[in-house]
Amino acid sequence: MQSLIDWWQTLHQAAAWEWISDVVTLTGFSAIAWAIWHVLVGRLKALAEKTITRWDDIIWPAIDTPLSTLIWLWPASHSIEIIIDNTAGDVSLSWLTLVQDLVVVWVVIWILLRLVNSGEEVMIETGNRDHTTINTMGNVLRALFVCVGIISLLQSLGVSVSGLLTVGGVGGLIVGFAAKDLLSNFFGGVMIYFDRPFKVGDWVRSPDRNIEGTVEKIGIRMTVVRTFDLRPLYVPNSVFSNVVVENPSRMLNRRIYETIGLRYQDADKISAVIDDVYAMLEAHPDIETRQTLIVNFNSFGPHSLDFFIYTFTKTVNWQRYHRVKQDVLLQVIGIIHQHGADIAFPTRTLHMDPGMIEQHAGAMMAPPEVQAR
């Protein structure tokens, strides 16, 4: 109790009150700096909102709160140093310097993380980009900044970063051998994000594997593909590094390739039919005439004269494509009938010897007793 009274009396000595003015000055400086920064950021935000691009809108909100915090914490740390130095006597303040370094590193990492989060939102809102890829790149950047921050903090604490990295490299090599499949799936997923052979929502199939369906999720270790009978396929990402992947969702057009046979008795009409079918396809609003368009007599079939249609639709939508194809085929039937021709179907012609026909007819017309003989 007596020691507390002595300390209080010491504070009331004239010489002891000199440090209070320094603390008040630092606090006032923090308040003035914060007010100036608040006004400046408000003006900069207003200017950024007037521009067309969205990228300048994310800079000032991202650094506003962290720098405001630094404006208060940095002078406060010096005020604490002054208070401890004048009230606690001979006390080591090296830890306070360490705290100041940690605060600076923490504020920098805080700003970078806020910039990544804001940039991620802008990229998703302003472009037709794959959300999964954007989120993954954001996670990679966040992890990178956090790792850099941790290394900086460890270095400030006096930990040997080079030795730690050496030990981590040896440990990583051991873990790599132990988790080879896990790492191959991870890097397979990374290559999917960078190469982008498909994205969520695409229809993919692999002729090398029994994989076909719609991509539902691209994870770090595996990709989920929903088949057309609604079964989920969980495919390890490393598989896509070793197989051929076809992405029908990215086709430019869909193909119509059909062979149509006319009767042999319509041989004199096939040329006119082909010309009219070709003209119909050229005038069809849903046929892409800039792509290959062929209508030609192709072969003498077993029971028909075959010509084929080879063309492409403008749409790539599966349902719309079948409606266009149906319309084309119905118009082809109409053109064939307009020329008095018809589509062939399998027939068989039986040729009999006239002598055998007369012999069988005579036997059927003979009296019963002659037939019995």
Side-chain angles (χ1 to χ4, degrees), residues 19 49 118 123 148 166 185 212 231 255-256 275 277 298-299 317 334 370:
W19 57 269
E49 291 177 354
S118 301
M123 292 183 68
V148 171
T166 302
N185 290 328
E212 183 173 10
R231 291 181 297 113
R255 185 183 67 175
I256 297 177
D275 291 341
V277 170
N298 191 35
S299 64
N317 180 270
V370 176

Side-chain angles (χ1 to χ4, degrees), residues 35-80:
I36 295 174
W37 170 249
H38 186 70
V39 173
L40 178 62
V41 169
R43 296 290 181 86
L44 292 174
K45 287 181 180 179
L47 291 175
E49 291 177 354
K50 297 179 180 179
T51 60
I52 299 176
T53 179
R54 288 276 316 271
W55 291 104
D56 56 352
D57 296 339
I58 70 175
I59 297 177
W60 305 116
I63 66 177
D64 182 13
T65 303
L67 285 185
S68 297
T69 304
L70 183 63
I71 288 173
W72 285 106
L73 290 182
W74 189 261
S77 64
H78 287 283
S79 298
I80 294 173

